[in-house]
Amino acid sequence: MFIQIRVSTPLLWRKATRAGASSRVLVRPGGVTDPGMQHRIGDPRIIRLIGKWLKAGTLEEGKLMTSEEGTPQGAVISPLLANIYLHYVFDLWAHQWRQRHARGNVVIVRYADDIVVGVDKESDARSFVQAMRSRLEQFELTLHPEKTQVIRFGRFAAANRAKRGLGKPQTFDFLGFTHISGHDRRGKFMLQRITRRDRMVAALKRIKEELRRRWHVSIPEQGQWLRKVVQGYFGYHAVPGNYPRMKAFRNHVTDLWRRALRRRGQRDRTTWRRAFRLAAEWLPRARVLHPWPNVRFDATHPRQEPGARIVHAGICAGGAR
């Protein structure tokens, strides 16, 4: 498990913090020992069932992998239990820290075990990381040394880093997107979100392997399958500013399909012209499907007060508000 914390400032300059946590303890050989779990679930039979689920193990490359403590990596129940656990370990504590110790604006967003925290003062970023490290130690958790850092990010990050001769602002990855401190055509600040390169490469590799298994399937059946794959990919990644990556993904899928068709037989002569016709017939075109973040935020937070000292920064746990 890893936790990311990002910090940004709307006033003076932007900071971002990101952290990763590893090794959580949800179950012991004797059963579930998480106090939050026992507090949320009153039926001892459910507690016993969860304990059995955790100790059942997972299959990795045909081998059964079991663990004495913690949630199994890749298990179906792991995200749910981690969400409940982090609600007590992080959410409630972070909300209390923000009210008692923060000197500026603090925004906290958590989706499962991925966390983003934004502050407008460097002292808050440093003290929050230190306090979080002490908090996690109480629950036998540790911060990942490679994923814990404080970075400048936001509207004034480029100007402040340019004054110090540090180059472009740093970027961070969150929920499958790389977030960039960019600007629009008029030169104004704009948060850019593009698909992570490694995620897109991994998706293309899976499509290539599946096309290999479907070499001798009819073209309409291949087209129907690829349409579902590309449509599902666009359903998540079709955010404003990500159009070039979506278009590149569709072009790569078209190329993989063309190569797969050419390898079905020595006499196959599938040209680019035919591949483009098949793509136009079966693959959905790249287009933006999601609104800008501020539109969605205003719809879910109609009582936002921009001039408040500490904004209404709720904690988003597991995507639910």
Side-chain angles (χ1 to χ4, degrees):
M1 176 185 98
F2 72 96
I3 300 176
Q4 289 186 326
I5 301 176
R6 290 285 186 270
V7 184
S8 61
T9 119
L11 300 178
L12 304 178
W13 41 272
R14 306 273 179 179
K15 277 276 181 190
T17 314
R18 105 182 175 184
S22 60
S23 165
R24 60 187 176 279
V25 179
L26 283 174
V27 61
R28 296 289 189 181
V32 178
T33 59
D34 175 26
M37 193 72 61
Q38 298 177 359
H39 175 73
R40 295 290 292 268
I41 303 175
D43 192 340
R45 295 172 296 180
I46 302 298
I47 296 292
R48 185 169 62 254
L49 179 60
I50 293 175
K52 292 182 179 180
W53 200 337
L54 289 173
K55 292 185 288 185
T58 57
L59 287 176
E60 297 182 6
E61 299 181 355
K63 297 182 180 180
L64 179 62
M65 307 296 294
T66 60
S67 58
E68 294 296 330
E69 63 179 22
T71 57
Q73 182 70 21
V76 178
I77 200 174
S78 297
L80 175 61
L81 296 182
N83 195 31
I84 298 176
Y85 191 69
L86 287 176
H87 174 72
Y88 292 93
V89 174
F90 178 80
D91 291 353
L92 300 180
W93 168 83
H95 182 66
Q96 185 183 72
W97 186 94
R98 180 171 65 90
Q99 291 182 327
R100 294 183 179 182
H101 305 286
R103 298 182 178 181
N105 297 334
V106 178
V107 178
I108 303 174
V109 179
R110 181 171 73 82
Y111 186 91
D113 59 357
D114 221 348
I115 299 176
V116 170
V117 174
V119 303
D120 59 0
K121 294 185 180 297
E122 183 178 7
S123 59
D124 285 346
R126 304 291 182 181
S127 60
F128 184 86
V129 173
Q130 183 177 1
M132 182 179 177
R133 181 176 287 108
S134 301
R135 171 68 175 179
L136 295 180
E137 290 177 355
Q138 300 176 8
F139 296 88
E140 303 182 22
L141 300 174
T142 58
L143 289 175
H144 198 294
E146 297 179 359
K147 297 179 180 178
T148 304
Q149 60 179 342
V150 177
I151 66 173
R152 297 177 182 272
F153 186 88
R155 187 181 304 274
F156 306 105
N160 282 281
R161 288 180 63 86
K163 292 179 181 179
R164 295 171 173 80
L166 299 178
K168 295 182 179 180
Q170 295 173 275
T171 62
F172 68 89
D173 297 330
F174 184 60
L175 299 181
F177 292 97
T178 298
H179 293 68
I180 305 172
S181 294
H183 54 82
D184 57 13
R185 297 178 181 178
R186 296 173 295 179
K188 295 185 178 180
F189 170 76
M190 181 180 69
L191 174 63
Q192 297 179 349
R193 295 175 294 170
I194 61 176
T195 304
R196 288 176 52 175
R197 184 179 298 274
D198 57 342
R199 296 289 179 86
M200 187 172 73
V201 171
L204 291 173
K205 287 183 178 180
R206 291 193 297 268
I207 294 175
K208 181 180 179 180
E209 294 175 358
E210 186 62 26
L211 279 174
R212 184 183 295 272
R213 290 191 288 267
R214 297 172 181 259
W215 266 357
H216 300 290
V217 178
S218 64
I219 292 180
E221 293 182 7
Q222 291 183 355
Q224 291 177 1
W225 173 74
L226 285 174
R227 173 185 293 173
K228 294 179 181 179
V229 172
V230 176
Q231 187 173 3
Y233 186 88
F234 287 169
Y236 181 80
H237 294 88
V239 299
N242 197 32
Y243 177 79
R245 285 290 175 91
M246 292 189 298
K247 185 177 180 180
F249 178 82
R250 186 178 184 273
N251 292 337
H252 284 303
V253 172
T254 303
D255 185 29
L256 292 176
W257 196 8
R258 180 188 66 88
R259 295 187 181 191
L261 293 176
R262 289 178 63 90
R263 293 183 179 180
R264 296 205 301 180
Q266 295 181 355
R267 296 184 178 180
D268 189 278
R269 293 295 182 267
T270 301
T271 61
W272 274 108
R273 180 175 298 179
R274 186 190 180 197
F276 286 143
R277 287 201 305 266
L278 292 175
E281 181 180 358
W282 294 104
L283 301 184
R285 294 186 177 275
R287 60 189 183 93
V288 176
L289 302 176
H290 302 290
W292 289 93
N294 61 330
V295 176
R296 180 171 294 175
F297 185 84
D298 292 341
T300 56
H301 299 76
R303 300 177 64 183
Q304 169 73 6
E305 300 177 10
R309 179 179 178 272
I310 296 183
V311 299
H312 298 291
I315 296 179
C316 176
R321 291 176 175 82

